[in-house]
């Protein structure tokens, strides 16, 4: 097993509860992502959730009466997903498996395939290509594929969110300069984050996805423009939060505003 895969697995095995609670700390990504996916799924659909962590999306769609199979690299994520599924009174299949080895699993075909995390945990482009090809083999012709990418500008957003004192002189030189260089040049930034990660420039997403037998349906920012002021908006009264959420939903896939989010999701239909 490659070192970076072991690193990612170790991180999630040791931070399973933190990963489960991440959607509580950062709710807008889940709200907007399910808002978009809900436009394509229907009760009874088969969903394969690859890299779905401790099962937030799997549980949500199992509650909507979909037939869900969750696959994740981390055994601890899978164990927590099963536990939380029982607490939420839903059932789904959950398997601990590397996304590069899902070809070994006899799962049949699915109406929808989510690839919620692998593409920004695979620094090698050939591995990213392999992961998508293997996932698409599990998708029915005409089925829908969902792939999030982690944007290079997310590093800038993270720095802004952490307030005064984050961008020190050393950080400007050592951490931010390579990010700025990659943004300006349109090249890949492959650097440290919570684990080793692959950060993409938004202009690179569609060229990468064009090599697969997919018809593009949507490209949208998973946090919308609320990523920039997440903590502030979360401090607002509920009614005002809802107004901002409704406003952000209207702008999620406006191309000029995609980089204001930290993650961009590609949605495509598998060609017949």
């Amino acid at each position: 097993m490659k070192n970076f895969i072991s690193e990612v697995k170790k991180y999630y095995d040791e931070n399973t509860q933190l990963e489960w609670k991440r959607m509580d700390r950062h709710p807008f990504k889940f709200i907007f992502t399910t808002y978009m996916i809900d436009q394509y799924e229907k009760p009874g659909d088969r969903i394969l959730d690859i890299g779905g962590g401790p099962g937030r999306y799997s549980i949500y769609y199992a509650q909507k009466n979909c037939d869900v199979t969750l696959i994740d690299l981390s055994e601890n994520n899978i164990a927590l997903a099963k536990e939380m599924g029982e607490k939420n009174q839903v059932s789904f299949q959950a398997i601990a498996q590397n996304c590069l080895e899902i070809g070994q699993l006899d799962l049949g075909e699915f109406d929808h395939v989510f690839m919620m995390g692998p593409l920004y945990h695979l620094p090698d482009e050939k591995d990213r290509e392999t992961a998508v090809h293997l996932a698409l083999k599990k998708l029915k012709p005409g089925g829908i594929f969902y792939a999030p990418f982690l944007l290079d500008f997310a590093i800038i957003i993270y720095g802004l969110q952490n307030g005064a004192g984050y961008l020190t002189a050393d950080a400007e030189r050592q951490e931010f300069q390579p990010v700025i260089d990659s943004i300006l040049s349109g090249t890949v930034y492959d650097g440290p984050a919570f684990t080793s990660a692959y950060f993409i420039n938004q202009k690179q997403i569609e060229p990468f996805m064009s090599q697969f037998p997919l018809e593009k349906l949507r490209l949208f920012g998973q946090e919308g423009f609320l990523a920039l002021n997440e903590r502030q908006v979360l401090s607002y009264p509920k009614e005002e939060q809802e107004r901002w959420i409704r406003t952000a939903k209207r702008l999620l896939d406006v191309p000029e505003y995609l980089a204001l989010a930290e993650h961009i999701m590609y949605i495509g239909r598998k060609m017949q």
Side-chain angles (χ1 to χ4, degrees), residues 4-269:
F4 68 85
I5 294 177
S6 299
E7 176 194 349
V8 171
K9 181 180 183 303
K10 181 176 184 291
Y11 173 85
Y12 285 108
D13 276 340
E14 293 177 352
N15 294 278
T16 306
Q17 288 290 340
L18 184 67
E19 180 65 11
W20 174 262
K21 294 175 182 177
R22 181 169 59 87
M23 294 297 187
D24 298 324
R25 299 191 308 274
H26 307 289
F28 299 132
K29 181 183 178 184
F30 186 81
I31 290 169
F32 295 142
T33 301
T34 53
Y35 166 73
M36 283 294 197
I37 296 175
D38 286 351
Q39 298 176 40
Y40 300 98
E41 70 77 32
K42 61 184 183 298
D45 282 352
R46 294 198 74 212
I47 294 175
L48 179 59
D49 183 5
I50 302 172
R56 286 277 193 170
Y57 291 98
S58 290
I59 290 169
Y60 175 85
Y61 285 102
Q63 290 172 327
K64 291 171 70 69
N65 296 314
C66 293
D67 179 358
V68 180
T69 297
L70 168 66
I71 294 176
D72 194 82
L73 180 67
S74 164
E75 286 93 346
N76 289 352
N77 272 347
I78 291 297
L80 182 59
K82 291 178 179 179
E83 177 186 335
M84 298 308 294
E86 291 178 4
K87 287 184 179 179
N88 285 275
Q89 299 181 320
V90 294
S91 62
F92 51 89
Q93 188 175 15
I95 304 168
Q97 184 68 285
N98 179 349
C99 70
L100 296 175
E101 298 173 349
I102 63 172
Q104 302 171 12
L105 302 175
D106 183 11
L107 301 171
E109 290 187 318
F110 293 81
D111 301 289
H112 307 267
V113 172
F114 304 163
M115 185 160 268
M116 288 299 185
L119 292 183
Y120 45 85
H121 283 307
L122 295 171
D124 183 85
E125 184 166 357
K126 290 297 183 184
D127 285 338
R128 294 193 294 275
E129 292 172 2
T130 296
V132 174
H133 280 302
L134 290 173
L136 290 177
K137 287 182 179 180
K138 305 296 185 184
L139 184 63
K140 294 178 180 178
I144 311 297
F145 182 71
Y146 310 80
F149 294 84
L150 180 58
L151 290 184
D152 48 15
F153 196 70
I155 300 170
I156 306 299
I157 293 174
Y158 182 81
L160 288 168
Q161 289 173 339
N162 277 271
Y166 184 83
L167 186 55
T168 63
D170 284 344
E172 182 179 21
R173 290 192 302 269
Q174 298 174 17
E175 298 172 30
F176 276 77
Q177 192 57 52
V179 178
I180 299 300
D181 289 344
S182 73
I183 292 171
L184 290 173
S185 63
T187 55
V188 168
Y189 174 70
D190 176 7
F194 53 102
T195 69
S196 296
Y198 164 72
F199 297 84
I200 198 168
N201 186 283
Q202 69 183 83
K203 296 178 182 178
Q204 298 166 331
I205 294 174
E206 291 189 63
F208 174 76
M209 295 306 301
S210 67
Q211 66 187 292
F212 305 108
L214 291 164
E215 172 197 1
K216 175 194 163 189
L217 299 176
R218 308 292 284 269
L219 193 69
F220 72 95
Q222 288 181 267
E223 298 87 359
F225 64 77
L226 296 187
L228 295 172
N229 292 91
E230 180 184 55
R231 294 178 186 175
Q232 184 177 355
V233 176
L234 288 173
S235 73
Y236 294 164
K238 184 172 179 57
E239 296 78 7
E240 188 171 358
Q241 282 189 43
E242 291 297 329
R243 285 194 289 271
W244 278 112
I245 288 170
R246 288 196 297 271
T247 301
K249 283 178 177 178
R250 299 179 65 187
L251 300 175
L252 289 179
D253 53 2
V254 176
E256 291 81 359
Y257 302 141
L258 290 179
L260 299 182
E262 295 173 278
H263 300 79
I264 288 180
M265 176 174 275
Y266 174 97
I267 303 179
R269 177 180 285 111

